[in-house]
Amino acid sequence: MTAAADYGARSLWLDTLAAPIVPRPQLHGDRAADVVIVGAGFIGLWTAYCLARAAPALDIVVLEAEIAGFGAAGRNAGFMSAGIAGQPRAYVARGGWEGVRRAERAMIEGIDHVGEVVAREGIECGWAKAGSLRIATSQAQLERVRAGLDSRRERGLGESDLQLLDAGEVASRVRVSGAVGGAYTPHCARVHPGRLVRGLAEACERAGVQIFERSRVCRIEEGRARCAAGTVRAPIVVQATEAFTVDLPGRHRDFMPVFSHMVATEPLDDHTWSQIGWEGCETVADQRHLFTYAQRTVDGRIAIGGRGAWYRMGSAIRAADERPPAVHAALERTLRAWFPAGADAAITHRWGGVFAVPRDWSMSIEFDRATGLARAGGLAGHGLVASSLCGRTLADLILGRDSELASLPWVGHRSGRWEVEPARLVAQRLITAVLAGADRIEDAGRGPAKRARLVRRFAPSR
Ligand SMILES: Cc1cc2nc3c(=O)[nH]c(=O)nc-3n(C[C@H](O)[C@H](O)[C@H](O)COP(=O)(O)OP(=O)(O)OC[C@H]3O[C@@H](n4cnc5c(N)ncnc54)[C@H](O)[C@@H]3O)c2cc1C
């Protein structure tokens, strides 16, 4: 268990909450409930919130190993975007291309659903729905922007969903040095994820949910979730543990826990911002194979991340891997190259977090009424909107509602298990090395790197 005082040091977001972190009570002794949810990240909290709102009489308990927002929820880049986890074709087997189109539309609409909850619950999380810029800093990246646009057009997304931009149009929004073009989608909001997840936990409590923190579940079984100091018995048990699932008995190969890292500057002054532009607070990501992403934060910093796919032998999740100096140094170099006007800004925060990568990169949502066991996860780097869909969908499934969400192709999807070690480590290192090599070739203007095309299907999706 982490010392209470250390939680704020885990990311910019946990360090800049509206109020200091005071851990909630721990579970002591046994207790009965109607629903017990394991994990207070976005998946667990959205599930609790949606269930509590839809069925206020339910007694809902959330058990969290550390604090709400300790995991990826409190460390991510704050892109509330419509991208789906994995390659769209992976979902075709369940519902065909029409199912994929419905899933993509649900993600787009899901952004506004989150926005409505943010407004209704008064969660001050810097919500700015200004869209997202996909920038290309080489001709090879520009080709991928065009290819991505073509395939989205084929799936029915129009000009109002995604537009191609030339270099001048990119610069009119954000002056990223070296950008040769890109694309813009209005379907993205910028958020302070720490304030969102902590605000959502409070909204759950207002709706009657009880959250226990620093209460690690050691066993999830039919009818109960067991901690060292107590057990919650409930006919419905929801597993919402994402990357940390690998530490649960029998779940070691369900996901590959992959690190992504970020750094943030001090707040920049008005003069620097006038040189950079970025008045709309669009989120920004490039098209490298190991891509970089950035947001203008609500308190006027640049937070930038990526460069990643860091994985530790045996799926180990270690606090020591949250701050790898080489990865953070590479991010700082990209920051200063993209924004020369901010080149002198001090870096005040460096952090990392783990997301859950399923064997086929595709998310899944399941509820077995016979056993009462439910789970959702495998959201990879796309969990902000997807987690709210998970919560709404699990609420529908648990309450027996025959909804559109319950018919989307990730419901009932099974991803398969990762290979045993050392095969898992070797494959991951090989793929990352090929992608990093391809990025170097393309950055040097010698792309596109053809070898990378083959392995891109296993690469972080965007
Ligand atoms: C650096 C980074 C940048 C990212 N950027 C974006 C982005 O811009 N947009 C986007 O959509 N997605 C992004 N993601 C991915 C996104 O954050 C995740 O997909 C999403 O947060 C995962 O869902 P979650 O919040 O429920 O998971 P988590 O926050 O990991 O929640 C799991 C929770 O379960 C708890 N837990 C685990 N095991 C137990 C146990 N045994 N008992 C009790 N509790 C337990 C953990 O402590 C944790 O709080 C990013 C991720 C990272 C790491």
Side-chain angles (χ1 to χ4, degrees), residues 293-309:
Y293 46 80
Q295 73 147 277
R296 174 176 177 164
T297 68
V298 66
D299 61 350
R301 306 164 191 264
I302 297 173
I304 188 166
R307 287 278 178 184

Side-chain angles (χ1 to χ4, degrees), residues 183-412:
Y184 172 76
T185 172
H187 304 311
C188 187
R190 181 283 318 262
V191 296
H192 181 308
R195 293 187 191 171
L196 178 58
V197 69
R198 301 287 297 174
L200 185 58
E202 287 166 12
C204 285
E205 289 173 317
R206 285 194 294 277
V209 174
Q210 188 166 14
I211 303 173
F212 292 99
E213 293 185 332
R214 304 209 277 176
S215 303
R216 180 175 300 281
V217 170
C218 47
R219 280 203 101 79
I220 294 178
E221 296 165 348
E222 238 179 271
R224 63 186 170 179
R226 280 203 270 168
C227 300
T231 295
V232 178
R233 292 174 197 282
I236 298 193
V237 184
V238 181
Q239 181 196 310
T241 45
E242 268 302 68
F244 305 95
T245 300
V246 298
D247 292 332
L248 288 168
R251 299 277 171 212
H252 191 57
R253 286 162 54 205
D254 282 14
F255 297 126
M256 182 184 281
V258 174
F259 270 91
S260 193
H261 295 93
M262 298 194 70
V263 301
T265 65
E266 62 189 330
L268 306 182
D269 59 32
D270 290 347
H271 176 67
T272 307
W273 280 121
S274 71
Q275 290 176 283
I276 295 173
W278 214 346
E279 279 159 27
C281 299
E282 301 89 340
T283 60
V284 175
D286 71 7
Q287 284 287 301
R288 282 197 181 97
H289 299 284
L290 295 176
F291 58 98
T292 304
Y293 46 80
Q295 73 147 277
R296 174 176 177 164
T297 68
V298 66
D299 61 350
R301 306 164 191 264
I302 297 173
I304 188 166
R307 287 278 178 184
W310 176 284
Y311 169 75
R312 171 76 56 186
M313 171 84 166
S315 291
I317 302 174
R318 306 186 334 180
D321 290 334
E322 292 173 17
R323 291 188 178 87
V327 177
H328 280 142
L331 285 170
E332 286 186 40
R333 282 196 298 277
T334 303
L335 168 77
R336 301 193 197 291
W338 277 14
F339 304 109
D344 295 334
I347 301 295
T348 56
H349 294 77
R350 297 174 177 82
W351 73 97
V354 268
F355 55 77
V357 178
R359 181 65 180 79
D360 63 356
W361 283 84
S362 304
M363 64 179 263
S364 53
I365 304 175
E366 284 188 75
F367 173 55
D368 179 351
R369 188 163 294 286
T371 61
L373 293 174
R375 57 184 154 139
L379 311 188
H382 293 278
L384 265 64
V385 175
S387 57
S388 84
L389 289 187
C390 289
R392 290 158 61 200
T393 307
L394 280 176
D396 285 347
L397 293 171
I398 290 167
L399 298 174
R401 292 169 163 178
D402 188 14
S403 68
E404 162 72 10
L405 286 176
S407 73
L408 291 177
W410 37 62
V411 177

